[in-house]
Amino acid sequence: MPQGSSHRVVLIVDENSNPFEMSCAIEVFGLRRPELGRELYDFRLCAADPATRMRDGFFTLTGIAGLEAADEADTLIVPNRPDTDTPRAPRVLDAVRRAHARGARLIGFCSGAFTLAEAGLLDGRRAACHWMWADSFRARFPRVLLEPDVLFVDDGDILTASGSASALDLGLHVVRRDHGAEIANHVSRRLVFAAHRDGGQRQFVERPVPAVRDESLAPLLAWAQERLGEPLTVADLAAQARVSPATLHRRFRSQLGTTPLAWLTAERVTLARRLIERGEERLDVVAARSGLGTAANLRARLRRETGLSPSAYRRRFGRAPGEALTA
């Protein structure tokens, strides 16, 4: 896990790269956070050429480090761009391969999956890319296990996000993995962006949209999040939404890509993680306040979600005595 700003994140900018994903990386990994009392990462930009023309020639990026900075990265964010059929420069692919060979973590945003696949690093591994390019990606890289209906894929040392906005989803996931849910939630609040969006890409795929009355789940989700410690059931959620349980399941599948019970459990685990990070040591209290019921269920759910026991999670992400976190 990164310790303060000693963990260096480097983003390679290449010819015709998208400025939006570059900005997402800067927002998540590059901004100073004095309210936390420490910096989370040491962030750098680099490029193969001293002047790099960004997407559609909107501007040219100059004055950043050369490609050698990629050799110092603990986490390397690879280039992406909309013209996925144009091969990457060999020296860029070589820099990505060198980073992987020495154990750096690799991240691809949107079409960045093409860069990682061109480098030969995704064969036999799970990955995500934008739904518009899913067919062409499969045709070019049949050995990659493409997951078309997710916002991002965490495959250990290689992580990929499906689209431009999901660069923020993946970035916050990395912060959560490195520094815990409390810090990730703080970063998300500063971004005014959801710390965790449920569902996958199918909610964004173009399809005919019939004229229907508003069936948004947002009011129900907000209502449930305020009552996670109560013995809520799927039947309770359906009653609050004034629909049948079957209709509620259909709406959750359509809008979030998950089930009501899975969503409710995930929210409760997230609340439990935050309680542990904030210093609550009594597992029965954490289990009760988060709605997970028993300490045994809390242990099982937390290990399934994070791979850690409550005590190990507390040691890694718990707040030090006297440490404060500004909301």
Side-chain angles (χ1 to χ4, degrees):
M1 183 185 73
Q3 298 298 320
S5 61
S6 62
H7 186 97
R8 177 164 294 179
V9 178
V10 176
L11 181 146
I12 301 177
V13 181
D14 201 9
E15 184 74 14
N16 213 27
S17 282
N18 285 321
F20 181 83
E21 285 86 337
M22 178 183 72
S23 299
C24 289
I26 293 171
E27 282 283 341
V28 174
F29 301 110
L31 293 190
R32 297 182 58 82
R33 305 192 186 278
E35 67 275 16
L36 297 180
R38 59 189 171 97
E39 301 305 321
L40 302 182
Y41 302 97
D42 174 10
F43 181 80
R44 304 287 175 85
L45 293 172
C46 76
D49 299 307
T52 302
R53 184 174 178 268
M54 300 297 289
R55 179 176 180 173
D56 296 332
F58 285 130
F59 61 90
T60 297
L61 194 65
T62 62
I64 62 175
L67 200 57
E68 65 276 3
D71 292 327
E72 301 176 357
D74 300 299
T75 293
L76 183 66
I77 304 175
V78 306
N80 73 315
R81 63 185 179 195
D83 54 331
T84 56
D85 292 333
T86 302
R88 286 289 173 198
R91 53 182 170 162
V92 172
L93 296 178
D94 287 343
V96 174
R97 295 186 189 103
R98 288 197 304 272
H100 182 258
R102 61 181 173 76
R105 178 170 59 189
L106 302 181
I107 293 177
F109 292 150
C110 195
S111 58
F114 283 82
T115 303
L116 292 164
E118 282 184 53
L121 303 178
L122 289 182
D123 287 354
R125 302 190 63 155
R126 299 163 50 239
C129 78
H130 198 286
W131 59 268
M132 288 179 60
W133 295 314
D135 290 341
S136 63
F137 186 93
R138 288 194 189 94
R140 287 179 60 185
F141 308 110
R143 297 180 62 186
V144 181
L145 307 178
L146 184 68
E147 297 191 7
D149 186 38
V150 296
L151 295 176
F152 61 83
V153 166
D154 180 343
D155 199 42
D157 60 340
I158 300 181
L159 302 91
T160 47
S162 59
S164 295
S166 55
L168 289 174
D169 294 288
L170 179 53
L172 289 170
H173 170 76
V174 170
V175 174
R176 187 181 305 112
R177 197 174 96 169
D178 292 344
H179 299 282
E182 186 74 6
I183 295 293
N185 287 336
H186 173 88
V187 175
S188 73
R189 286 194 297 271
R190 182 162 165 176
L191 285 167
V192 195
F193 187 83
H196 177 78
R197 289 194 294 165
D198 294 290
Q201 285 195 83
R202 64 177 160 210
Q203 57 191 308
F204 305 110
V205 177
E206 292 182 358
R207 55 172 62 89
V209 181
V212 296
R213 62 189 177 87
D214 183 13
E215 296 181 344
S216 170
L217 288 170
L220 176 64
L221 303 185
W223 177 86
Q225 286 169 331
E226 294 177 355
R227 296 165 175 81
L228 293 175
E230 300 177 14
L232 291 179
T233 65
V234 173
D236 294 328
L237 296 179
Q240 176 64 23
R242 295 183 175 86
V243 297
S244 69
T247 297
L248 187 69
H249 271 83
R250 285 196 296 271
R251 290 187 184 176
F252 265 78
R253 282 293 187 189
S254 174
Q255 297 182 35
L256 301 181
T258 188
T259 66
L261 182 59
W263 177 86
L264 191 59
T265 301
E267 289 296 309
R268 284 170 165 160
V269 172
T270 297
L271 177 56
R273 292 169 67 173
R274 295 191 69 184
L275 291 171
I276 293 172
E277 291 171 14
R278 289 181 172 184
E280 179 56 66
E281 298 184 357
R282 298 165 295 177
L283 294 189
D284 55 340
V285 172
V286 174
R289 290 181 60 187
S290 64
L292 292 174
T294 66
N297 189 40
L298 168 62
R299 289 189 187 93
R301 294 291 180 181
L302 190 64
R303 186 176 291 278
R304 186 176 304 167
E305 174 74 19
T306 68
L308 300 171
S309 67
S311 59
Y313 188 86
R314 184 183 301 110
R315 285 193 300 270
R316 179 171 295 187
F317 298 118
R319 188 179 305 168
E323 180 183 358
L325 179 67
T326 304

